[in-house]
Amino acid sequence: MADRQITWPAPAPAPVPEPPLNFLAGLPPRPVYREPHPIGAAPVLSGLAAGAVWLILFGSLGRDLVSYAWWTIAAAVSAWLVALVLTLIGDRGVAAGVAIVSGIGLSVALGFVTARWVDTYDFPLW
């Protein structure tokens, strides 16, 4: 006797849940927050280079520690003003690079001033 083939019926498709009323087709379910003006590596590196050249040029005008420190202070303050202007109306990446290098250069110069002050007990900038 031949065995009968038993066929089972296909399962019914699962019901698709309805989206909420405020759901717009094609949009992600949650918001994605992104920077409207992203900063790239190239502008930051160019700002770092420009700030370094600026501080080296001004620092090389000094003949001793006092004049080096004052020239570096003047260069850092002017670089920060330029970085502020670049932040407001220019490229924020270049402004960040300039501000970073001017802060580091000013820290180095004032570190030398502090070392002289500690050695001689006489503040060299006055």
Side-chain angles (χ1 to χ4, degrees), residues 23-28:
F23 179 76
L24 298 175
L27 294 179

Side-chain angles (χ1 to χ4, degrees), residues 40-66:
V44 173
L45 291 175
S46 66
L48 290 171
V53 168
W54 182 255
L55 286 174
I56 289 170
L57 289 175
F58 269 74
S60 65
L61 293 174
R63 290 177 293 203
D64 56 351
L65 178 63
V66 175

Side-chain angles (χ1 to χ4, degrees), residues 27-90:
L27 294 179
R30 293 189 292 169
V32 176
Y33 298 105
R34 295 191 180 173
E35 179 70 29
H37 306 288
I39 295 174
V44 173
L45 291 175
S46 66
L48 290 171
V53 168
W54 182 255
L55 286 174
I56 289 170
L57 289 175
F58 269 74
S60 65
L61 293 174
R63 290 177 293 203
D64 56 351
L65 178 63
V66 175
S67 61
Y68 164 72
W70 281 115
W71 278 114
T72 304
I73 290 170
V77 168
S78 63
W80 283 334
L81 291 174
V82 168
L84 180 66
V85 170
L86 282 172
T87 301
L88 296 175
I89 61 173

